[in-house]
Amino acid sequence: MSYFKQPNERTFSVRFLSPTNHRGARVKITDLVRCESVTLGYDYAESYIYEQAAGYLNERGICDLRLCLNNSLDCYLMTSPNFETSLK
Protein backbone atom coordinates (compact mmCIF):
# COMPACT_ATOMS: atom_id res chain seq x y z
CA MET A 1 0.00 0.00 0.00
CA SER A 2 1.37 3.38 -0.97
CA TYR A 3 0.76 6.14 1.55
CA PHE A 4 2.86 8.76 -0.17
CA LYS A 5 1.31 9.55 -3.54
CA GLN A 6 2.73 13.07 -3.89
CA PRO A 7 6.15 13.55 -5.54
CA ASN A 8 9.13 14.62 -3.45
CA GLU A 9 9.55 18.32 -2.87
CA ARG A 10 12.45 20.53 -1.91
CA THR A 11 12.05 22.17 1.52
CA PHE A 12 13.12 25.63 2.65
CA SER A 13 13.04 27.03 6.16
CA VAL A 14 12.32 30.74 6.55
CA ARG A 15 13.46 32.31 9.81
CA PHE A 16 13.46 35.85 11.21
CA LEU A 17 16.80 37.05 12.63
CA SER A 18 16.47 39.79 15.22
CA PRO A 19 18.50 42.98 14.88
CA THR A 20 21.78 43.26 16.75
CA ASN A 21 24.02 46.20 17.64
CA HIS A 22 25.75 45.86 14.24
CA ARG A 23 23.10 44.46 11.87
CA GLY A 24 19.46 45.19 11.24
CA ALA A 25 16.63 42.68 11.16
CA ARG A 26 17.11 39.93 8.58
CA VAL A 27 15.33 36.98 6.98
CA LYS A 28 17.25 33.73 6.50
CA ILE A 29 16.16 31.20 3.88
CA THR A 30 17.77 27.76 4.19
CA ASP A 31 17.52 25.04 1.56
CA LEU A 32 17.20 21.91 3.71
CA VAL A 33 18.02 19.61 0.76
CA ARG A 34 21.23 21.28 -0.47
CA CYS A 35 22.29 22.81 2.87
CA GLU A 36 22.57 26.26 1.28
CA SER A 37 21.32 29.47 2.84
CA VAL A 38 20.89 33.12 1.97
CA THR A 39 20.28 36.02 4.36
CA LEU A 40 18.23 39.01 3.23
CA GLY A 41 17.71 42.34 4.89
CA TYR A 42 14.22 42.49 6.38
CA ASP A 43 11.81 44.33 4.09
CA TYR A 44 9.43 46.36 6.27
CA ALA A 45 7.07 46.80 3.30
CA GLU A 46 6.17 43.09 3.45
CA SER A 47 3.65 41.96 6.05
CA TYR A 48 5.16 38.51 6.66
CA ILE A 49 8.65 37.07 6.26
CA TYR A 50 7.32 34.20 4.15
CA GLU A 51 6.02 36.73 1.61
CA GLN A 52 9.51 38.21 1.30
CA ALA A 53 11.01 34.72 1.00
CA ALA A 54 8.47 33.71 -1.67
CA GLY A 55 9.29 36.85 -3.65
CA TYR A 56 13.01 36.08 -3.51
CA LEU A 57 12.51 32.43 -4.50
CA ASN A 58 10.25 33.40 -7.40
CA GLU A 59 12.90 35.86 -8.65
CA ARG A 60 15.39 32.97 -8.62
CA GLY A 61 13.01 30.82 -10.70
CA ILE A 62 11.88 28.61 -7.82
CA CYS A 63 8.12 28.71 -8.27
CA ASP A 64 5.02 26.69 -7.35
CA LEU A 65 5.66 27.22 -3.64
CA ARG A 66 3.61 25.75 -0.81
CA LEU A 67 3.60 27.16 2.71
CA CYS A 68 3.61 24.73 5.63
CA LEU A 69 2.65 26.37 8.91
CA ASN A 70 4.27 24.93 11.99
CA ASN A 71 3.52 25.71 15.63
CA SER A 72 6.45 23.87 17.20
CA LEU A 73 9.37 25.25 15.16
CA ASP A 74 10.59 28.84 15.17
CA CYS A 75 10.41 29.05 11.39
CA TYR A 76 8.10 28.65 8.41
CA LEU A 77 8.57 25.78 5.99
CA MET A 78 8.07 26.21 2.25
CA THR A 79 8.23 23.49 -0.39
CA SER A 80 8.70 23.46 -4.15
CA PRO A 81 9.00 20.70 -6.75
CA ASN A 82 11.98 22.59 -8.30
CA PHE A 83 15.23 20.77 -7.47
CA GLU A 84 17.30 22.29 -10.31
CA THR A 85 17.68 25.97 -9.39
CA SER A 86 20.28 27.06 -6.85
CA LEU A 87 19.23 29.22 -3.91
CA LYS A 88 22.04 31.72 -4.46
Side-chain angles (χ1 to χ4, degrees), residues 9 16 37 73 79 88:
E9 294 208 347
F16 177 77
S37 68
L73 296 176
T79 64
K88 295 182 180 181

Side-chain angles (χ1 to χ4, degrees), residues 19-48:
T20 66
N21 290 337
H22 302 284
R23 294 183 186 198
R26 293 157 289 147
V27 175
K28 184 172 184 177
I29 306 169
T30 304
D31 182 344
L32 300 177
V33 173
R34 295 184 179 191
C35 299
E36 296 177 339
S37 68
V38 63
T39 304
L40 312 171
Y42 179 70
D43 184 359
Y44 290 91
E46 297 287 346
S47 298
Y48 301 99

Side-chain angles (χ1 to χ4, degrees), residues 50 66-72 75-78:
Y50 58 80
R66 292 168 184 79
L67 179 64
C68 306
L69 298 177
N70 189 327
N71 293 332
S72 62
C75 66
Y76 292 100
L77 297 176
M78 301 178 84

Side-chain angles (χ1 to χ4, degrees), residues 55-70:
Y56 176 81
L57 293 171
N58 280 319
E59 286 176 6
R60 298 286 307 148
I62 302 170
C63 301
D64 196 20
L65 296 167
R66 292 168 184 79
L67 179 64
C68 306
L69 298 177
N70 189 327

